[in-house]
Amino acid sequence: MSSLSRQKPVFRFAPSPNGRLHLGHALSAILNHDMAKANGGRFLLRIEDIDLTRCTAEFEQGIYTDLKWLGLSWELPVRRQSELFGDYRHGLERLIAMGLAYPSFMSRREIKAFVHNHESQGKLWPRDPDGAPHYPPVDKQRPAKEIDTLLSSNAKHAWRLDIKKAITGLHRPLEWAETGGGKNAQMEADPVAWGDVVLSRSDAPSSYHLSVVLDDAAQGVTHVVRGMDLFHATSVHRLLQELLKLPAPEYHHHRLVVEESGKKLSKSDGSTGLEVLRESGKTPSDIRCLLGL
Ligand code: GLU
């Protein structure tokens, strides 16, 4: 880890209760906990349950059980995103007031059809770092009157960040301090690679990107330690921090735990689940050993 400010460092583990924890989560949680301890810092737990359809109280209890079994302890109360929708709405309203967010009405099917139609003419449509197509510019081209009519008729919509507009006001290159993978480097953020990201959905009043930056700021998080799978998302997080005038934490993206085949672990894959490993007789120190810690 690079220079620590005089302020007590604050680390957090932020799982989503949409499945049981596996070895990958254990690596993230233990690294955060141990780095906080080694640096005289605080270790927080945040439950990222904005997706009300997939997150359950049972999975949330499972998180507490698994982390306690690993021997980790965290500060109370635990922050739960489902209790903070008003805060995220306020963040969204600030972006709308800045003219940087717009309502988007296209369904997944319509986006797919748009991309298919574009690509059938032999031109590639851009994809984001996760492989999803960029959102088409259709809604940004709608006349204001049509948008008003759609909104007043309660048409299903999300809110998206107009990424090109959002970067125009930046005065300097957008960067973040990265200490993962033995590095100690300034990384250049590339938020445009994501296209117009979602800020809130019709079925969830916030998006991962918006709530994570608002929460990290609200909790005074100074060090974000999380898996490499979220490395590119940091570009969007840095942009939102800049737009909303929030402090930028230091980032440490750690290696991912993968299956023997090289595939990323999934919550539905039982064999690496902490509960399954515990029931098969493994101890918390076996888990550290398995993780090479
Ligand atoms: N909730 C996210 C996940 O479970 C992690 C978010 C983060 O660490 O920034 O993958």
Side-chain angles (χ1 to χ4, degrees):
M1 177 173 321
S2 72
S3 63
L4 290 175
S5 57
R6 252 167 282 144
Q7 176 195 13
K8 238 186 185 196
V10 181
F11 293 76
R12 81 333 185 244
F13 175 54
S16 295
N18 55 11
R20 290 303 299 253
L21 299 187
H22 55 53
L23 280 173
H25 299 107
L27 177 62
S28 226
I30 294 172
L31 284 177
N32 270 290
H33 176 267
D34 290 4
M35 285 162 100
K37 268 224 154 127
N39 292 286
R42 300 167 56 199
F43 174 58
L44 312 179
L45 175 63
R46 183 165 78 225
I47 299 296
E48 299 213 323
D49 56 351
I50 47 173
D51 184 346
L52 300 173
T53 54
R54 292 173 62 222
C55 295
T56 69
E58 288 75 33
F59 287 139
E60 184 176 332
Q61 282 312 315
I63 290 172
Y64 302 137
T65 306
D66 291 342
L67 295 181
K68 275 188 198 144
W69 174 67
L70 286 173
L72 309 187
S73 54
W74 52 89
E75 287 183 17
L76 294 173
V78 167
R79 189 176 178 89
R80 297 173 72 243
Q81 291 188 328
S82 55
E83 292 165 358
L84 297 158
F85 286 143
D87 297 15
Y88 309 138
R89 180 78 212 172
H90 180 67
L92 172 66
E93 277 163 6
R94 283 177 63 195
L95 294 166
I96 296 173
M98 290 158 82
L100 301 179
Y102 67 91
S104 64
F105 300 95
M106 289 175 86
S107 65
R108 259 171 231 246
R109 247 175 74 196
E110 286 166 334
I111 299 173
K112 218 172 147 186
F114 175 95
V115 173
H116 178 77
N117 183 35
H118 181 90
E119 296 196 331
S120 64
Q121 294 159 38
K123 295 174 280 181
L124 272 184
W125 184 252
R127 301 287 197 280
D128 71 23
D130 285 346
H134 282 194
Y135 191 71
V138 174
D139 291 309
K140 284 192 289 196
Q141 290 158 0
R142 281 185 209 276
K145 229 176 136 189
E146 192 183 318
I147 295 175
D148 286 348
T149 310
L150 282 165
L151 288 178
S152 53
S153 66
N154 278 333
K156 225 170 141 184
H157 64 279
W159 284 88
R160 289 178 181 267
L161 185 67
D162 185 329
I163 206 94
K164 294 236 170 84
K165 256 196 199 169
I167 59 158
T168 44
L170 299 179
H171 302 302
R172 52 195 156 82
L174 196 58
E175 295 183 331
W176 78 85
E178 174 69 47
T179 62
K183 277 197 282 289
N184 191 351
Q186 286 296 117
M187 308 301 301
E188 186 156 346
D190 180 17
V192 176
W194 287 92
D196 291 352
V197 288
V198 173
L199 298 168
S200 82
R201 294 183 186 283
S202 55
D203 56 354
S206 183
S207 71
Y208 159 63
H209 296 307
L210 181 61
S211 42
V212 89
V213 296
L214 290 170
D215 283 341
D216 282 340
Q219 294 190 285
V221 171
T222 57
H223 292 75
V224 171
V225 177
R226 62 185 178 195
M228 268 308 284
D229 52 340
L230 291 170
F231 182 87
H232 292 292
T234 308
S235 287
V236 177
H237 300 173
R238 284 292 300 112
L239 176 60
L240 290 173
Q241 286 157 358
E242 211 62 20
L243 296 172
L244 295 168
K245 303 203 177 353
L246 306 173
E250 189 172 292
Y251 288 86
H252 180 108
H253 293 95
H254 60 73
R255 65 188 157 90
L256 294 180
V257 182
V258 289
E259 283 177 30
E260 270 168 43
S261 62
K263 207 177 117 233
K264 200 180 137 189
L265 300 187
S266 91
K267 282 184 173 152
S268 53
D269 177 30
S271 62
T272 56
L274 297 182
E275 184 184 32
V276 174
L277 290 165
R278 178 166 64 245
E279 282 169 0
S280 74
K282 293 270 189 283
T283 65
S285 52
D286 292 335
I287 301 296
R288 283 187 178 254
C289 228
L290 274 171
L291 293 170
L293 294 171

